[in-house]
Amino acid sequence: MRGMRGKYVVRVIKYAILQLVVAIFIILWLTPLYAMLVGGFKPNMEAASAPILLPPSQFSTEAYYFDWFGFGTLIGLEFPMIRQLIITVPVALASVIFGSMVLTSFICKWKGDPGLVMLAFQ
């Protein structure tokens, strides 16, 4: 009975460490997203001078306005948001598809089914 309790404690400790590592990775992944969103709502002067993680002192959407409608006076910069979407959406879809294929390969290899590994890459 004592050995089973020890194994249970070890499993709980391993699970707690895993949860802590996952939480750290989530924070590291979300920090740039937070900085991007907060930086987009800052006026241009504040975005250039204030620390990036501080929330804006004055809410402004001028960065999003200029990004969506463009600057208008410069040739080639009329509609930058549309060009960004044309590039970003296919790249994001490709990375999700290839990442899913790799994950499927690892899961199938871990479970010991080589047929599914080959199916994932066809």
Side-chain angles (χ1 to χ4, degrees), residues 37-51 54-64:
L37 290 175
V38 166
F41 289 120
K42 290 181 181 180
N44 289 339
M45 291 304 292
E46 185 179 354
S49 61
L54 287 180
S57 61
Q58 175 184 351
F59 183 79
S60 172
T61 58
E62 67 183 3
Y64 291 109

Side-chain angles (χ1 to χ4, degrees), residues 55-120:
S57 61
Q58 175 184 351
F59 183 79
S60 172
T61 58
E62 67 183 3
Y64 291 109
Y65 176 81
F66 283 121
D67 196 32
W68 185 259
F69 293 108
F71 295 99
T73 58
L74 300 174
I75 297 173
L77 294 178
E78 291 88 6
F79 301 105
M81 181 65 87
I82 294 171
R83 285 187 315 208
Q84 290 173 2
L85 290 175
I86 289 172
I87 294 170
T88 305
V89 170
V91 168
L93 287 175
S95 68
V96 167
I97 290 169
F98 292 133
S100 299
M101 290 171 62
V102 170
L103 180 64
T104 302
S105 171
F106 282 124
I107 289 173
C108 293
K109 187 171 182 174
W110 178 61
K111 289 189 173 188
D113 189 0
L116 288 176
V117 174
M118 299 312 287
L119 181 66

